[in-house]
Structures are given as C-alpha cells and as structure tokens.
Amino acid sequence: MNSRLTLGIAALTLATLLRAGEDPVAPPPKEQDPTVAERGYFEKSPRAWNDFHKAYLERAKQGGIELLFLGDSVLQGWGDSAQKDLWKTHFDAYKMANFSVGGDRTQQILWRIDNGELDGLAPKTVVLEIGGNNLWSNDKPEKIADGTKKIVESIRKKLPNAKVLVLGILPAQKNNTDGIREKIKQINAQTAKLDDGAAIRFLDMGAKFTDATGVIDLDKELYQPDYVHLKTKGYEAWATAVKPVLAEMMK
C-alpha cells in the first residue's frame, strides 16, 4: 500500500477514535495552549485518564448532583481513604460528585466539559480548582488565568443556573521567595476578577497554609513533602476555609 495512503488512513483512524472518546492511541502534543481544549494522557498508563473520563460520564448520567468538584489532584485527593471521615463530616449533607483528575491542566478541564461531563447535570454549585499543573508546564501566568476564565465561561454556558466557586491556586514550594509563588500570586490576582459577588465567587485561602512570612512548614503536616499535595490536616484546613462560602452558595 502507498505509504502516504497508509499514513492518511492512520491519521483518519486516530481522529475518529479521538472524536468518539475512545482510548487514545498516541500522546497529545507536548506544546499546549491553556485556553484550548486538549485531552489528557498518562504516559505510564495511557488508558487511565480516559477511564476517569468514562467513569465521570457514567456518573453524570445518573444525575442527582447538587454539588460538583471539578479540578486536579488537590480536589481528587478528597477521594483518598485518609480523607474519608473528613468528607463525611464536611460534605455528607450534600449530594456530591467529584470529577477531578490528578495532573489535569486548564486545557484538560475544557476538554472534559466539551466532551460531556457536565451534560444533563443541574448542580447548585461547582467548585473549581485548577491551574497548578500549568505552572509545572511553564505556562505564562496570564495564559493560565485566561484558561481558568474560559473554564468558568464554559461551566456557566453548560450550567446557567449553577454558581461557581473558583479556588485560588494554593502556595507551592517551601518559601515565599520561590519564583513559582510570584506566578501563583499573579494568576490568583487575575482570577479574582471573575468574582461578581453572586453567581461566581473567588476564594484565595493561601494564607492559611503558610506562616506569616509565607513559608510552608512541613511540621504542621498540612502538606506532603513535595510542598504541593495536602495531608489530611491540610484538607481539614481547606474544608474549614471553604465551608462557610460554600454554605452560602448552596442556599
């Protein structure tokens, strides 16, 4: 068979599979735009990301969700067994679902929204936490903030009656002098402008996770040793900060 024809058939097959939402057969491009939808991909387990997506589509079909978490590993961590009791204490009053995937960036959330995860739902509130992984991809702060803005717009378009609680990116790395911290500050400042005091709220709880000088103290056991992911005490601090705002939005 002609080599060009073979390549053309392969490309068409890949495009068809991707449109159909089937397991990816090749990794996505390395260079991605935080404002452009792009499916996720775990290099060591190529089908795993799509398995999350399929599971969330199935959960969406069941309906009955009044509070939805949508984000990356920080929100996904609420599903860990270590947080089981905290979850019951703080969120059992709501009919909840957690559509979060570790490693997701703004573009992956956009893809998941575009590909059905919010279809048919009618939650009162969506809690969005995203953007941290874009930092490790060296995306520019303004592009990350634009990506988050586009996600909020997409949520509001799909779920016009839902409120959106946008959470600021939590402090990462040990010291306030780290370059990542400055980028987080810039992103949160831009994202805060989405807050309209009604349908869209923004909450930056970063000060609760550092000391007065901005240092993350691992002895307080809020963070894992990577200075990114949270321990159970960190989730307790997270819940304490979020619950009052969430209770108001869920009325």
Side-chain angles (χ1 to χ4, degrees):
M1 183 180 290
N2 182 280
S3 60
R4 290 186 179 179
L5 179 59
T6 302
L7 289 173
I9 292 174
L12 179 60
T13 301
L14 172 59
T16 301
L17 285 173
L18 293 180
R19 284 197 299 270
E22 295 300 325
D23 294 330
V25 296
K30 291 183 178 181
E31 297 296 326
Q32 298 183 21
D33 185 332
T35 66
V36 177
E38 184 66 66
R39 74 180 306 137
Y41 184 87
F42 298 146
E43 185 175 353
K44 294 183 179 179
S45 183
R47 296 183 180 181
W49 189 90
N50 207 52
D51 287 342
F52 279 116
H53 174 58
K54 289 179 179 178
Y56 297 155
L57 289 178
E58 288 302 312
R59 177 62 186 90
K61 289 178 182 178
Q62 297 172 21
I65 299 171
E66 60 180 8
L67 175 60
L68 178 66
F69 281 5
L70 186 62
D72 55 31
S73 59
V74 174
L75 284 191
Q76 189 182 31
W78 272 109
D80 294 345
S81 59
Q83 277 68 256
K84 184 178 180 180
D85 291 339
L86 277 181
W87 180 272
K88 289 182 179 179
T89 299
H90 294 289
F91 302 117
D92 252 11
Y94 306 116
K95 296 178 181 178
M96 287 192 60
N98 189 345
F99 288 5
S100 300
V101 181
D104 266 13
R105 292 170 281 173
T106 52
Q107 54 267 42
Q108 277 75 61
I109 299 292
L110 288 169
W111 191 94
R112 294 202 277 125
I113 292 173
D114 287 350
N115 285 271
E117 290 191 15
L118 301 186
D119 292 1
L121 298 182
K124 290 183 179 180
T125 303
V126 177
V127 177
L128 174 67
E129 183 275 321
I130 198 66
N133 290 306
N134 291 84
L135 289 167
W136 312 119
S137 298
N138 206 31
D139 293 328
K140 294 182 178 180
E142 59 269 24
K143 291 294 288 185
I144 299 173
D146 286 344
T148 301
K149 179 181 178 181
K150 190 169 182 180
I151 292 171
V152 173
E153 291 172 347
S154 296
I155 293 172
R156 294 286 294 152
K157 184 175 181 180
K158 287 271 188 176
L159 308 171
N161 295 320
K163 297 177 181 178
V164 183
L165 174 57
V166 186
L167 301 179
I169 300 173
L170 291 176
Q173 306 296 64
K174 180 178 181 179
N175 298 309
N176 197 33
T177 55
D178 188 276
I180 288 290
R181 292 288 194 92
E182 178 57 31
K183 290 182 179 180
I184 291 173
K185 182 179 178 180
Q186 293 175 29
I187 295 165
N188 287 346
Q190 284 296 112
T191 306
K193 296 177 182 179
L194 298 174
D195 193 321
D196 62 8
I200 304 170
R201 299 289 302 277
F202 175 80
L203 177 63
D204 182 1
M205 50 186 163
K208 295 184 179 295
F209 288 83
T210 68
D211 65 16
T213 64
V215 172
I216 294 174
D217 184 357
L218 291 183
D219 288 339
K220 292 184 177 180
E221 296 190 345
L222 299 178
Y223 278 87
Q224 301 282 356
D226 62 5
Y227 293 98
V228 174
H229 297 95
L230 302 179
K231 289 187 174 183
T232 299
K233 286 187 177 180
Y235 281 103
E236 179 67 55
W238 188 101
T240 300
V242 170
K243 275 191 72 175
V245 181
L246 193 57
E248 181 182 340
M249 297 179 74
M250 291 295 291
K251 290 179 181 178

